[in-house]
Amino acid sequence: MDEKPMKLWKKAMYFPYRTQIGKKWMDEFKKVWRIAGPTIITSVSVFSLDVITAAFAGQLGDLELAAVSEVQNVLLGFVTGIMLGLGSALETLCGQAVGAGEFNMLGIYLQRSWIISLVAALLLTPTFVFASDILKLLRQDPKISDVAGKFAIWIIPEIFASALNYPAEKFLQAQSKVWFMAFASMLTLAIHVLLNWIFVSKLSMGLVGAAIAGNMSFWILVVAKVIYIACGWFPEAWTGFSYLAFKSLTKFLKLSVSSAVMLCLEIWYYTAAILIVGGLKDAAVAVDSLSICINLQVWALMFTLGFTISASVRVANELGAGNPKGAKLTIGVHVLISAIVGAVFAVIILATKKQFPRMFSKEQNVISETSKLGYVLALTIFITSIQTVVHGVAIGAGWQFLVAFVNFGCYYVFGLPFGALLGYKFNLGVQGIWYAMLGGSFLQTIIVFVIIGRTNWNKEALQAETRVRTWGGTVENQQDS
C-alpha cells in the first residue's frame, strides 16, 4: 500500500480522536466553572461579612478594631476550621451518593452532620466565654483582650449558626445547587452592611451592635439555606427529619473528625507562623508585614477555594457513578485551571510588590519589609492555588485520614521547625520562616500528587460504590422497614 494514502488515513483517524478528547476537556471545563464560579462568589461574600464588621469596628477606635481582629483571627479562625472540617465529611458521602444516583440518604447525612456540629459548637462555647483569659495566656495586650472577651461572648450565637451553615452548604454543593448560595450570600452581605449601619453608626451601640448585626446576618444566611432545603426543592434528598440520623454516628464522626483535622492543620499553619514571627527582633514590623501578605493570600484563597469545592464534588460524583476515567479527567482539568489562576495572581503580586503594601500601612519600614516578601508571596499563592485542588481531590475520594497525617508531617514536623531554625539560628528573619513554611506546603503538594498518580482509580470507584451501598439507602432503608 502506498505510504502517502496510509499517512493520510492515519491522520484522518487520529483527528476525530483528538477532537473527542478536546470536547471532553471542554465539557469538563464548563462543569468545573458551573460549580466554581458561584462558589467563589459565595466565599468572597461570606468572607466579606467579617471584613465589614471590622470596618465598622474601626470607626469606633483602634482598641475596638484590634479586639475584633483578635476575635476573628484567633477564636473564629479556630472555630471555623473545626466547623468547616466537620462539615466536609458531607463532601465525600453526599458527592459519591449523588454520583451513584442514591439521593435518599442525603438528608440523613445532613442531619447527622448537624448533630455532630451542634455538639461541637456546645463544646467550643467556653472558648468564647473565657476568651479574655485565653488571649492573655497567648500574651496579647490586656486592654485589647478585655474588650475582645466582651465581644466574643456576644457573638456566641454565630458559633451555632456555623454548626448549621457548613453542613447545609456541603449538602447543596454536592448536588451542584450553588447559585442559590451565591445569591443568598450576596443578599446577606448587603443586609449585613445595613444592619451595621443601623446598630453601630445610627444607634451607637458600639461593639455590642456589631455583634448583634453579625449574629443576625449569619442566622439569616442559615435560615435561608434550611428553608430552601426543607421546603420541597429536594423531594428525593430531603424527606424530613428521621431517627436514622442517630444511627451510625460513630462511623460518621470518624470521617468528620478526620476532615476537621486535615483542614485545621492547614488553616492553623499560617496562624502558627505569626506566633513564631512574634519572637523576632522588630517583631511589630515583622508581624505587620507577614499579616499583610497573609491577608492577600487569604483573598486569593477565596477564589481558589471554589476549585477546592468543585474538585471534591466532581471527583466524588464521578467515583460514585463508577467512572474512574471521569475522575482522572476532572483532576487534570482542575490542576490546569488552578495553575493558570495562580499564575495570574502571582504576576499581579510581582507587578505591584512595591505598591500593594501601601494599601495596608503608611509606615515606611513596614512597606519596605513587605515588599521584600513579594516574591515569596507570589510563589506561595501559585503553589497554594494548586494545593487547594489536591485537597479537593482528597475530600472527594475520602482520603481525609491519610492527608491529615501528610499535613502534620509536612507542616508541623518539617515546615514550622525548619522555619524557626532559619528565622532565629540563621538570622534570616521573616523571609526565612516563610520560605521554610512554603517548603512544607510544596512538600505536601508533591506527596499528595504522588498519591494521586499511584492511585488505582478503578479500585477507588469500587470503594465508592461500597461506601454508598454500606452507608446509604440499600442497607439503612432495610433497617428502617
Side-chain angles (χ1 to χ4, degrees):
M1 188 175 181
D2 192 3
E3 291 185 8
K4 188 173 183 181
M6 177 63 76
K7 289 180 179 179
L8 290 174
W9 179 79
K10 288 182 178 180
K11 187 175 181 181
M13 292 298 292
Y14 184 60
F15 181 74
Y17 173 77
R18 292 182 62 183
T19 304
Q20 186 180 12
I21 294 295
K23 186 176 183 301
K24 286 183 178 180
W25 274 73
M26 185 55 66
D27 289 343
E28 186 61 35
F29 182 86
K30 292 176 182 177
K31 290 177 182 178
V32 169
W33 277 105
R34 287 193 194 107
I35 300 172
T39 303
I40 290 170
I41 295 172
T42 302
S43 301
V44 172
S45 298
V46 173
F47 177 72
S48 298
L49 294 176
D50 285 339
V51 175
I52 295 299
T53 299
F56 276 91
Q59 296 179 6
L60 301 173
D62 293 340
L63 181 62
E64 288 81 359
L65 176 59
V68 169
S69 297
E70 283 198 354
V71 171
Q72 289 178 343
N73 293 326
V74 179
L75 297 179
L76 280 177
F78 174 75
V79 169
T80 297
I82 294 174
M83 292 301 178
L84 182 59
L86 291 174
S88 292
L90 289 182
E91 291 186 63
T92 303
L93 297 175
C94 288
Q96 293 184 359
V98 168
E102 295 284 351
F103 291 89
N104 53 321
M105 282 300 294
L106 298 188
I108 303 300
Y109 294 155
L110 174 60
Q111 291 169 55
R112 286 175 183 165
S113 188
W114 275 342
I115 292 169
I116 291 171
S117 297
L118 285 171
V119 171
L122 190 62
L123 295 175
L124 289 167
T125 298
T127 305
F128 284 66
V129 174
F130 300 104
S132 178
D133 296 328
I134 291 171
L135 291 171
K136 288 175 183 177
L137 284 174
L138 294 174
R139 303 193 176 209
Q140 303 302 304
D141 183 273
K143 291 183 179 179
I144 296 175
S145 298
D146 288 335
V147 177
K150 295 176 182 177
F151 179 72
I153 292 174
W154 275 96
I155 64 168
I156 286 175
E158 193 174 319
I159 310 174
F160 292 89
S162 297
L164 297 176
N165 178 63
Y166 290 117
E169 189 175 88
K170 303 308 176 185
F171 174 89
L172 295 172
Q173 287 169 350
Q175 300 172 81
S176 300
K177 303 296 184 181
V178 286
W179 273 113
F180 172 81
M181 292 194 298
F183 287 126
S185 60
M186 287 189 293
L187 180 60
T188 302
L189 179 60
I191 293 172
H192 187 62
V193 174
L194 177 62
L195 291 174
N196 272 279
W197 178 75
I198 293 172
F199 289 114
V200 179
S201 299
K202 286 299 179 182
L203 299 181
S204 301
M205 294 178 65
L207 287 186
V208 173
I212 293 173
N215 291 332
M216 291 178 65
S217 297
F218 276 100
W219 274 101
I220 287 171
L221 186 61
V222 170
V223 170
K225 291 177 182 178
V226 173
I227 290 175
Y228 181 57
I229 291 169
C231 287
W233 293 94
F234 303 90
E236 292 182 274
W238 178 267
T239 56
F241 292 96
S242 171
Y243 75 91
L244 282 176
F246 294 93
K247 289 190 174 183
S248 302
L249 275 177
T250 303
K251 289 192 295 182
F252 201 95
L253 179 63
K254 181 180 178 181
L255 183 59
S256 298
V257 170
S258 297
S259 300
V261 171
M262 185 188 83
L263 288 176
C264 286
L265 290 175
E266 178 74 27
I267 293 171
W268 298 340
Y269 188 39
Y270 285 94
T271 302
I274 293 179
L275 296 177
I276 293 176
V277 168
L280 294 172
K281 294 180 180 178
D282 295 325
V285 174
V287 169
D288 284 348
S289 61
L290 184 63
S291 297
I292 289 170
C293 291
I294 289 178
N295 281 331
L296 287 172
Q297 184 186 352
V298 169
W299 275 107
L301 188 63
M302 290 302 104
F303 287 86
T304 57
L305 184 61
F307 302 112
T308 306
I309 302 302
S310 62
S312 66
V313 171
R314 290 294 303 131
V315 169
N317 288 170
E318 294 296 341
L319 291 178
N323 184 16
K325 289 184 179 179
K328 289 191 287 186
L329 173 64
T330 196
I331 293 170
V333 172
H334 275 90
V335 170
L336 177 62
I337 295 175
S338 63
I340 294 172
V341 172
V344 170
F345 276 115
V347 169
I348 292 173
I349 291 296
L350 290 176
T352 62
K353 63 184 180 70
K354 293 184 178 179
Q355 286 77 36
F356 73 77
R358 300 180 187 277
M359 296 188 299
F360 299 89
S361 177
K362 295 180 181 179
E363 297 293 331
Q364 190 56 47
N365 52 352
V366 174
I367 294 172
S368 176
E369 192 66 27
T370 307
S371 296
K372 294 177 183 177
L373 295 175
Y375 292 105
V376 66
L377 174 60
L379 189 57
T380 300
I381 289 176
F382 177 74
I383 290 176
T384 53
S385 296
I386 299 173
Q387 188 181 43
T388 55
V389 167
V390 300
H391 279 178
V393 172
I395 292 171
W399 299 341
Q400 288 93 327
F401 191 72
L402 171 62
V403 176
F405 274 104
V406 174
N407 284 357
F408 180 78
C410 293
Y411 296 157
Y412 298 90
V413 176
F414 173 76
L416 289 176
F418 191 42
L421 183 66
L422 292 181
Y424 289 91
K425 184 68 175 178
F426 292 93
N427 297 317
L428 295 178
V430 65
Q431 287 187 351
I433 292 172
W434 197 338
Y435 272 115
M437 295 183 65
L438 179 58
S441 296
F442 182 71
L443 179 61
Q444 189 267 3
T445 305
I446 293 298
I447 291 174
V448 179
F449 262 124
V450 170
I451 293 172
I452 291 172
R454 293 174 61 87
T455 294
N456 184 332
W457 290 98
N458 291 316
K459 185 178 179 181
E460 290 295 322
L462 291 174
Q463 288 180 349
E465 181 184 350
T466 302
R467 185 181 289 118
V468 170
R469 188 173 61 250
T470 303
W471 288 59
T474 305
V475 174
E476 299 202 33
N477 279 342
Q478 289 175 358
Q479 294 175 351
D480 193 30
S481 60

